[in-house]
Amino acid sequence: MNWTEGLINAIDYIETHLIDGEVLDQNTIARQAYSSPDNFRKVFHLITGYTIGEYIRNRRLSLAGEELISSNRTVTDIALEYGYDTPESFTKAFTRFHGSSRHLARYRMLYLSA
């Protein structure tokens, strides 16, 4: 297996385990690429420009943003589903990642697109 196939396997694994606040173990992720954890971390960062943890956090925040604007679920429910302990910690991470608060994102999608 080459590095591209290994990376695809690892990302597929990450993507299927992002929801419900599941803790993703980097050693398990590296095994999906048939690589040692140290080598996988280095290659993943080199290829993607992100650490594994950054990639996971960014994907969760991206999916949470989509859910905020496309559903009527509470912020607390979404925060817990994507692994945040409190709505406040989710709001802080969400604002840093998306550049606006969750309320503004929902408002823009619901009212400006109408």
Side-chain angles (χ1 to χ4, degrees), residues 62-77:
S62 178
L63 292 171
E66 289 176 20
E67 193 148 347
L68 273 172
I69 59 177
S70 67
S71 76
N72 292 325
R73 294 183 61 210
T74 66
V75 171
T76 301
D77 288 343

Side-chain angles (χ1 to χ4, degrees), residues 1 17 25 29 44 52-53 56-57 64 71 77 100 106 113:
M1 174 180 299
H17 294 88
D25 177 63
I29 294 168
F44 187 90
I52 298 168
I56 292 168
R57 187 172 36 260
S71 76
D77 288 343
S100 68
R106 184 173 271 174
S113 64

